[in-house]
Amino acid sequence: MADQEIDRALKLVANLSIDKASQVLSKMIKAGAKIELEGVSLEDVTKATERVMQSDTGDVVGAFVDLVGDLPFKFLFYVDANDSLTLTDLILRRELGTTKKFDVYVTSTVQELGNILASAVTNVFASDFQIKMKPTPPIVVHDYASTIFGEYIMEAAAEQDEILMIESMFRVVRLNVKCRMFLLPKGDAQKELAAIVGKI
Amino acid sequence: MAKRILLVDDAPIIRLMIKDILVECGGYEIVAEGATGKEALDLYKQLKPDLVTMDIVMPEMDGIQALEEILKFDPKAKVVMVTAIDQRESLMKAIRLGATDYIVKPFEADRVMSAVQKALGE
Amino acid sequence: MAVEVSVGMADIKLGRDGDVLATVLGSCIGVCLFSASHGAGGLLHLMMPTAGNNAAQPGIKKAKYADTGVPELVHSLKVSFGVQPKDLVAKIFGGAKVLQNVERNIGAENAVAVQAILKEYGIPLKAHKTGGERGYRIKFHTESGKVICQVFGGPTEEY
């Protein structure tokens, strides 16, 4: 299969997943959420981590989710630690600024957002491409963005020097909340996905 | 007297969201909260609530198994399942087993209220 | 002119004079080799203990593994600055177990592997801070050999 076809298939799946994720996120936080696909790219692990390090301004809270089933993927969602407090207020319909410290509800918020966003992705795979997958319970980690990103790509980077990444960024409209979402195919998942998408 | 509800979900944030809705919009009493299916069963036997809201994916014992066990103990138990969007199969199974209704995450307050009110016959 | 350089995963960067080599680690290990007499050093950001069968493959990223990365760093310092292994001292950081659901403790394996290789070269380990469950942010000052390290959530320390 040509790389262009794989690229086209992944972009299609990425865009559909992101649309679905935007919808569920907006509904959950009762605010407009705009998610943009930043890119589907095959990137050298050194360059990818260097890039994240250069924009790493501090601590983030991330949810790691394994999507298991027909085509295994790894999913990561992370948000600046300060913004995770805002997301918690939005979800609980509290006045912004109510949640002041990193507590069990903040961890739980990121975990649920990870779960719901990952579910939105698997939902697209199932409904549009008949690919059955389900998310495993998210593991939440509060750490440096670069550490979280490094651990996320570790398994793929151990096997190959270039990793294929689907990266998107989303903003909550009117509030300066920025989050990132990544999808990483495991093993040959991208080729199989392209084959399936190509038939539809 | 306010109807007594048992909330079961492994995510504290979801329990808090549902609790806020049920207490503020419906004036219900939350008798207890559980984070696993096992806790749900123990708390149900102990407290005999009027209704349970039950997550599906949970550690120890999942929501489907807990639903089955609760219905074995009390065939008239009213259980509303709470699920993420992709768990259609599990949801169908829960309905077949005897779940009263379901709520899909992310949910709106109206939907939570209508499912609970309907299940309680209000 | 002195610069601060980010060192990505599976990479080696060298510096001298006022250059600062910076990286952020999880289960990876950052190996800082420094020669006081040359006022120069290098930082290796390795991911795994051994290249195993991959070692013989052409074009492998040597910096990915401890057993190929440390020799590569020693070699680069020799080629670029004329530094011999006997001139070097080492400081190592990282090797945390960030994801508690993953069984294998690759961070600990990395730390053991690096120490064994440094011993083979006879390079003294002047400082090490490894393990734990949190990430490490380090800045290696290649002029003085000083390393500023901050484990996530902890104080900034100098090694």
Side-chain angles (χ1 to χ4, degrees):
Chain A
M1 175 150 309
D3 285 353
Q4 279 165 320
E5 285 173 58
I6 296 177
D7 196 51
R8 191 191 66 86
L10 283 166
K11 279 194 177 132
L12 176 64
V13 172
N15 278 314
L16 289 168
S17 302
I18 284 166
D19 280 350
K20 186 80 184 173
S22 300
Q23 287 166 22
V24 294
L25 185 72
S26 298
K27 194 171 167 192
M28 186 157 182
I29 61 178
K30 281 260 183 185
K34 195 174 173 215
I35 310 191
E36 281 163 15
L37 181 64
E38 294 224 315
V40 176
S41 58
L42 193 62
E43 200 173 8
D44 173 80
V45 292
T46 304
K47 292 270 177 314
T49 47
E50 223 175 83
R51 184 168 55 83
V52 174
M53 255 173 232
Q54 280 157 0
S55 62
D56 184 353
T57 49
D59 54 330
V60 302
V61 193
F64 293 76
V65 187
D66 279 330
L67 307 182
V68 296
D70 293 348
L71 286 182
F73 269 75
K74 281 174 94 79
F75 175 88
L76 172 69
F77 160 75
Y78 74 68
V79 53
D80 281 357
N82 275 336
D83 290 347
S84 68
L85 306 180
T86 308
L87 285 177
T88 306
D89 285 340
L90 284 170
I91 281 178
L92 291 173
R93 320 275 194 262
R94 287 171 171 172
E95 199 179 318
L96 295 179
T98 308
T99 304
K100 288 191 171 59
K101 65 177 194 327
F102 195 80
D103 60 12
V104 62
Y105 292 114
V106 180
T107 308
S108 184
T109 294
V110 175
Q111 189 167 24
E112 264 319 291
L113 285 171
N115 184 30
I116 285 169
L117 292 170
S119 297
V121 173
T122 56
N123 192 256
V124 166
F125 277 75
S127 61
D128 296 6
F129 306 105
Q130 285 77 51
I131 299 167
K132 277 191 190 166
M133 284 200 290
K134 65 174 186 183
T136 55
I139 304 297
V140 175
V141 178
H142 180 194
D143 212 311
Y144 297 122
S146 305
T147 300
I148 286 183
F149 183 74
E151 295 302 308
Y152 170 66
I153 65 165
M154 182 61 77
E155 200 182 321
E159 287 168 13
Q160 59 231 29
D161 293 341
E162 285 189 322
I163 48 167
L164 190 136
M165 254 184 348
I166 300 171
E167 182 175 0
S168 62
M169 167 137 182
F170 59 87
R171 295 162 196 276
V172 178
V173 178
R174 284 191 305 277
L175 301 165
N176 198 24
V177 171
K178 289 184 221 133
C179 318
R180 285 190 176 276
M181 205 169 81
F182 298 89
L183 257 182
L184 183 68
K186 285 172 83 170
D188 277 338
Q190 75 244 35
K191 284 190 190 140
E192 290 175 42
L193 178 64
I196 294 166
V197 174
K199 281 183 206 149
I200 290 169
Chain B
M1 205 176 80
K3 291 277 171 64
R4 300 159 66 249
I5 297 179
L6 167 63
L7 301 183
V8 185
D9 200 306
D10 59 336
I13 196 79
I14 299 292
R15 295 202 301 269
L16 189 55
M17 284 167 82
I18 299 177
K19 185 178 175 175
D20 282 354
I21 294 169
L22 295 179
V23 172
E24 281 168 31
C25 308
Y28 296 110
E29 181 194 349
I30 307 303
V31 278
E33 296 180 24
T36 67
K38 173 90 175 49
E39 281 179 25
L41 182 61
D42 293 346
L43 288 166
Y44 190 91
K45 286 179 176 170
Q46 198 186 319
L47 302 165
K48 302 259 186 60
D50 296 304
L51 183 135
V52 184
T53 68
M54 177 89 77
D55 185 21
I56 292 185
V57 182
M58 285 184 294
E60 265 190 87
M61 183 194 284
D62 71 17
I64 302 282
Q65 224 181 323
L67 167 74
E68 252 182 307
E69 294 295 326
I70 287 173
L71 287 171
K72 246 187 244 168
F73 172 77
D74 175 6
K76 287 187 180 147
K78 294 184 176 71
V79 182
V80 172
M81 306 305 286
V82 181
T83 166
I85 52 171
D86 71 323
Q87 291 153 5
R88 217 161 287 159
E89 271 177 41
S90 305
L91 195 56
M92 289 304 124
K93 191 174 173 193
I95 300 293
R96 277 199 303 275
L97 284 170
T100 319
D101 203 345
Y102 64 90
I103 304 164
V104 178
K105 289 188 276 190
F107 43 71
E108 307 268 0
D110 292 354
R111 173 67 195 136
V112 176
M113 284 303 296
S114 72
V116 167
Q117 283 167 341
K118 202 175 103 195
L120 289 168
E122 291 176 340
Chain C
M1 201 180 78
V3 285
E4 182 170 315
V5 181
S6 295
V7 186
M9 259 162 93
D11 198 15
I12 287 173
K13 292 270 168 66
L14 307 180
R16 69 188 316 173
D17 302 328
D19 294 344
V20 176
L21 307 176
T23 197
V24 183
L25 307 149
S27 56
C28 293
I29 295 260
V31 181
C32 306
L33 292 187
F34 171 66
S35 165
S37 52
H38 295 77
L43 173 60
L44 158 70
H45 183 149
L46 65 92
M47 293 166 54
M48 283 175 293
T50 171
N53 295 333
N54 292 333
Q57 302 259 342
I60 71 153
K61 262 184 185 285
K62 290 182 178 165
K64 205 187 243 190
Y65 313 96
D67 61 352
T68 49
V70 174
E72 183 66 13
L73 174 57
V74 170
H75 176 72
S76 304
L77 285 166
K78 188 175 169 184
V79 172
S80 301
F81 305 125
V83 176
Q84 298 296 322
K86 66 173 173 47
D87 303 323
L88 293 166
V89 293
K91 294 179 183 179
I92 65 170
F93 303 87
K97 192 172 190 305
V98 178
L99 295 176
Q100 300 313 311
N101 62 326
V102 176
E103 238 170 75
R104 186 174 173 191
N105 190 348
I106 199 146
E109 289 178 35
N110 282 337
V112 170
V114 170
Q115 293 189 46
I117 298 159
L118 291 171
K119 210 170 176 185
E120 276 176 35
Y121 275 98
I123 299 172
L125 185 60
K126 271 202 76 180
H128 69 108
K129 185 170 178 72
T130 57
E133 297 176 358
R134 303 292 197 160
Y136 291 69
R137 188 191 287 284
I138 60 168
K139 288 188 180 197
F140 174 26
H141 295 255
T142 57
E143 192 174 15
S144 61
K146 174 176 82 176
V147 180
I148 306 297
C149 168
Q150 187 180 21
V151 175
F152 181 78
T156 304
E157 294 170 316
E158 188 179 319
Y159 290 88

